[in-house]
Amino acid sequence: MTALNELGLAEARDVLGRGEASSMELTEAHIRAGEAARPLNAYITETFERALEMAADADARRAKGECGILEGLPVAVKDLFCTDGVLTTAASHILDGFVPPYESTVTANLWRQGAVMLGKTNLDEFSMGSSNDTSYYGPVESPWRRPGDNRPLVPGGSSGGSAALVAARAAPAAIGTDTGGSIRQPAAFSGIVGLKPTYGRCSRWGVVAFASSLDQPGPLTRTVRDAALMLRAMAGHDAKDSTSAPIPVPNFEENIASGIKGLKVGIPKEYVLDGMPPEIDKLWRQGITWLEEAGAQTREISLKHTKYALPTYYIVAPAEASSNLARYDGVRFGLRVGNGELDDMYQRTRGQGFGVEVRRRVLIGTYVLSAGYYDAYYLKAQKLRTLIAEDFTSAFGEIDVILTPTAPSAAFAAGEKSDDPIAMYINDVFTVPSSLTGLPAMSVPAGLSADGLPLGLQVIAKPFDEATMLRVGFALEAAAGFDARPDFVAAG
Ligand code: GLN
């Protein structure tokens, strides 16, 4: 039989359902794999003891015939979700010792469906980054290496710990958050599936805020079916989040394999970038052919304001971050440095508590919101955000989904772009437009770069039409047959 930590989420569900293994055995295999994967630094906090208790409870419920849709299945949780009684850090020094007295809605939904928590995963500090090397707890290493080159690579970010564990077979699924690409880009770099739902599909309540109009929780898994299963468990209306959508959650898995005949797929011409590596373009062309062979019709579309998306994002996101992060003042949460004058305590706490990238964003955000510059930057960015949204609305009058690359390159070496924020921000060029517009988007592993590293294709869909997006993702996955494995695969 396949080792238990090699099973995907839906496969593991079926194995438990047939009584071929218990949740306890499945969880123990993932704990051993998590221990073997420690060199990747993917967890900030392991909750293995709690996992064993949750697994025992799940087995007991199953014995009584009470099964949630994730009954007994272990998952890892980005350390941006508040978890009752478990340290929650956002990978920042400023949240030192913060143990929330409450549970985020999304994680509560997972536990209600019977899932088992393996631990809290590493990320870029406050989710700001594309490489998972801004964490106070140290960088995460990708389980992948370039053949013949032993330099560590980044797993992508900011949900890098979640992506690395799923890719290394130390978790069958994990959750992350995506503000400008933080689920999709690490999924593409790590050779797994990453799904950002429509803004409002999953509650943000109890998720440490980065940019509230953009943040959205979502799953990272090894298959498209597993993403559908996770999303169904995570999603749903929540009165505690005023932007949560009061619409029903379909069974996303139900029609996932029903094919894409007759579906109209838009190919945005503005996503062809100067200087884009030819292998990215080639994979995109290949993706178009795959969808056509599966019966879809593809056509070129125009999203005219695409080139403004990245600068717009890097005004809106820091603006919201500067406001959200104002709450970390040393009074109520985590770290406090100094105990003399109040202003002095604020300055020391924030100066020492936040890392370089977070301070950069707070400065940019404060600047673009300041009285003299508000109209020139923030207001202009908001107007562009509307124009970008209108591009999508008019394109979706004629098409059902959009196909693009997920990222403009494969994973890079650790530290390679850390000194150049602009080079780092360019990673998000294909992911931020759907973030600014709240549209659902997912990355599916589709091939390897010339260097032997994973590349992803992105499917963007209409608001709340994750079901169609998943159907297209499923067809892409079947055509691509991506079965490459990272160099490091944990033994369970
Ligand atoms: N890389 C982007 C940023 O640094 C996206 C981050 C995210 O989605 N959380 O802002």
Side-chain angles (χ1 to χ4, degrees):
M1 190 171 130
T2 319
L4 289 173
N5 66 309
E6 292 276 344
L7 297 173
L9 195 70
E11 286 172 334
R13 169 193 60 189
D14 298 344
V15 163
L16 296 191
R18 290 193 299 266
E20 292 165 12
S22 64
S23 171
M24 199 59 142
E25 289 164 325
L26 184 69
T27 302
E28 280 168 346
H30 285 96
I31 290 174
R32 285 193 296 273
E35 286 166 351
R38 279 181 185 150
L40 303 178
N41 196 30
Y43 281 118
I44 290 177
T45 305
E46 294 167 344
T47 57
F48 294 162
E49 275 176 28
R50 180 182 284 224
L52 292 173
E53 285 164 21
M54 291 174 91
D57 290 348
D59 283 333
R61 283 191 300 267
R62 185 179 294 277
K64 285 193 279 175
E66 296 164 10
C67 277
I69 59 179
L70 296 179
E71 198 62 56
L73 302 176
V75 299
V77 173
K78 185 179 186 176
D79 201 17
L80 199 66
F81 290 85
C82 288
T83 39
D84 195 352
V86 177
L87 181 72
T88 298
T89 68
S92 182
H93 188 29
I94 209 153
L95 273 169
D96 262 7
F98 173 57
V99 177
Y102 54 86
E103 189 75 30
S104 84
T105 297
V106 161
T107 48
N109 289 348
L110 293 177
W111 316 144
R112 190 171 319 110
Q113 292 299 337
V116 166
M117 177 164 77
L118 289 169
K120 306 290 297 288
T121 66
N122 206 343
L123 63 149
D124 279 302
E125 186 179 2
F126 280 104
S127 260
M128 298 172 187
S130 306
S131 57
N132 211 145
D133 64 359
T134 70
S135 167
Y136 178 69
Y137 296 88
V140 175
E141 216 174 272
S142 171
W144 293 82
R145 289 273 198 280
R146 293 185 185 114
D149 180 346
N150 222 14
R151 271 179 308 167
L153 301 172
V154 303
S158 63
S159 311
S162 289
L165 286 169
V166 173
R169 275 70 178 167
I175 59 172
T177 58
D178 191 310
T179 303
S182 276
I183 289 174
R184 293 162 284 164
Q185 185 258 15
F189 277 20
S190 302
I192 62 170
V193 174
L195 188 154
K196 179 192 92 73
T198 313
Y199 183 79
R201 179 64 97 178
C202 289
S203 170
R204 291 180 297 108
W205 193 81
V207 183
V208 175
F210 164 11
S212 309
S213 77
L214 299 158
D215 298 343
Q216 183 57 206
L220 296 103
T221 55
R222 289 194 295 274
T223 71
V224 174
R225 181 182 293 280
D226 293 354
L229 180 56
M230 282 293 283
L231 180 60
R232 184 177 168 206
M234 295 168 71
H237 179 241
D238 177 15
K240 289 189 280 199
D241 171 0
S242 60
T243 59
S244 164
I247 57 170
V249 179
N251 177 352
F252 297 107
E253 213 186 333
E254 209 165 52
N255 293 314
I256 201 165
S258 61
I260 56 167
K261 258 198 191 64
L263 219 67
K264 298 193 192 69
V265 182
I267 312 298
K269 61 175 189 225
E270 291 82 1
Y271 280 56
V272 180
L273 297 183
D274 282 348
M276 186 157 89
E279 62 193 11
I280 302 286
D281 197 54
K282 194 167 148 223
L283 184 76
W284 192 11
R285 304 284 135 215
Q286 177 66 68
I288 296 170
T289 308
W290 283 331
L291 295 184
E292 286 170 349
E293 285 169 358
Q297 299 163 17
T298 63
R299 68 172 68 158
E300 188 179 272
I301 57 165
S302 173
L303 300 167
K304 296 202 284 297
H305 297 91
T306 297
K307 69 170 183 230
Y308 300 113
L310 202 57
T312 300
Y313 172 84
Y314 276 99
I315 290 174
V316 173
E320 294 187 20
S322 71
S323 161
N324 274 326
L325 271 54
R327 75 190 68 176
Y328 304 106
D329 54 8
V331 176
R332 288 159 295 182
F333 305 91
L335 186 73
R336 176 182 301 176
V337 186
N339 45 19
E341 285 293 303
L342 186 62
D343 284 354
D344 180 67
M345 188 277 283
Y346 284 159
Q347 281 170 18
R348 283 175 199 268
T349 300
R350 290 173 64 84
Q352 293 176 36
F354 290 139
V356 172
E357 182 60 25
V358 174
R359 275 181 278 152
R360 177 167 24 243
R361 306 257 183 141
V362 169
L363 286 174
I364 294 171
T366 309
Y367 181 82
V368 301
L369 289 173
S370 62
Y373 296 100
Y374 184 90
D375 288 0
Y377 292 103
Y378 186 70
L379 201 62
K380 196 173 254 173
Q382 291 292 28
K383 288 179 178 169
L384 277 163
R385 189 174 183 179
T386 303
L387 292 173
I388 294 163
E390 283 170 6
D391 285 352
F392 279 101
T393 308
S394 79
F396 277 127
E398 296 168 18
I399 52 156
D400 302 300
V401 294
I402 296 171
L403 183 75
T404 78
T406 306
S409 73
F412 40 89
E416 202 177 308
K417 303 191 182 190
S418 309
D419 300 333
D420 182 353
I422 305 288
M424 193 63 91
Y425 298 168
I426 285 171
N427 269 289
D428 309 328
V429 64
F430 298 132
T431 48
V432 293
S434 39
S435 296
L436 288 166
T437 50
L439 295 169
M442 74 186 295
S443 180
V444 178
L448 293 176
S449 69
D451 281 353
L453 297 178
L455 297 173
L457 287 172
Q458 177 178 230
V459 183
I460 307 172
K462 294 177 186 173
F464 300 104
D465 196 9
E466 288 91 352
T468 303
M469 179 172 85
L470 283 158
R471 253 197 305 139
V472 177
F474 192 84
L476 264 183
E477 177 181 60
F482 183 90
D483 58 3
R485 291 164 65 85
D487 296 77
F488 178 84
V489 173

